[in-house]
Amino acid sequence: MSELLWADVAYFFDPGVMGALPDVRVPDASVGDWQAVLDLIGESGWRCRYSEGGAVLSLPRAAAVLSRPAEAECPELRVWPSDEVLAIFRFRTTEEIDFDVDLRELQGQERLDMFCGLLRAIGRRLGKPVLMDPEGDYGHPVLGFDAEADRVVLLAEPPVM
């Protein structure tokens, strides 16, 4: 059974309301958490591509990526949990794992289930919440993986239309 039903959450997947690229994040992270996510990606068989600047490179260890000089360009890791859906991880800080998804790719129950599966996999691996904020509205999550409930839950109510 699906954790969330499309009819109940479609509002939060409307790019016109949320912005096309909401922020997905794991707060209170560490280098070990970043490495656990990299290990999860490798174990999952998801297609991925790591790059620094314009150069595509082999995926390094999290400690190496996160210890780059402050003036260095922010590396990114593109991950395809399915052929139709892309998540872009950016290594901005050790303290927070953040990635973007494109809401235009997450339409309908099947894609919602895939997205919930991604949040659940990361959250279970880390034992931490994975939160989705509207684009440009950091700190106001609308849904996310609740580690205690072990499922993806709504954290805000859509307006009554």
Side-chain angles (χ1 to χ4, degrees):
M1 179 172 177
S2 298
E3 290 170 274
L4 299 175
L5 297 177
W6 179 250
D8 296 337
V9 300
Y11 175 85
F12 294 120
F13 287 82
D14 181 342
V17 173
M18 296 286 291
L21 304 171
D23 302 309
V24 186
R25 61 192 172 87
V26 178
D28 302 318
S30 66
V31 173
D33 291 331
W34 271 103
Q35 188 59 54
V37 170
L38 297 181
D39 293 344
L40 171 67
I41 292 166
E43 293 164 11
S44 71
W46 297 328
R47 187 167 52 101
C48 66
R49 185 179 73 220
Y50 174 80
S51 62
E52 292 180 12
V56 175
L57 305 168
S58 296
L59 184 61
R61 304 285 299 168
V65 178
L66 294 165
S67 65
R68 71 195 186 293
E71 67 277 0
E73 189 168 337
C74 181
E76 71 176 30
L77 176 62
R78 293 176 171 263
V79 177
W80 289 267
S82 75
D83 289 339
E84 304 85 17
V85 175
L86 169 64
I88 303 173
F89 290 79
R90 293 191 173 83
F91 298 82
R92 292 186 179 109
T93 177
T94 301
E95 294 80 24
E96 185 168 79
I97 297 169
D98 74 288
F99 61 99
D100 293 326
V101 293
D102 189 332
L103 291 184
R104 294 167 292 202
E105 297 175 347
L106 296 175
Q107 298 298 302
Q109 188 67 52
E110 182 179 329
R111 300 277 178 93
L112 173 63
D113 291 344
M114 188 284 317
F115 178 62
C116 288
L118 175 65
L119 299 185
R120 188 172 49 254
I122 293 170
R124 282 180 177 165
R125 178 64 61 108
L126 301 178
K128 295 184 176 188
V130 183
L131 308 170
M132 184 177 93
D133 299 318
E135 184 176 15
D137 197 10
Y138 182 87
H140 298 99
V142 296
L143 61 87
F145 176 78
D146 181 324
E148 288 184 26
D150 192 38
R151 60 184 301 232
V152 177
V153 298
L154 275 177
L155 300 170
E157 292 295 322
V160 177
M161 301 287 194

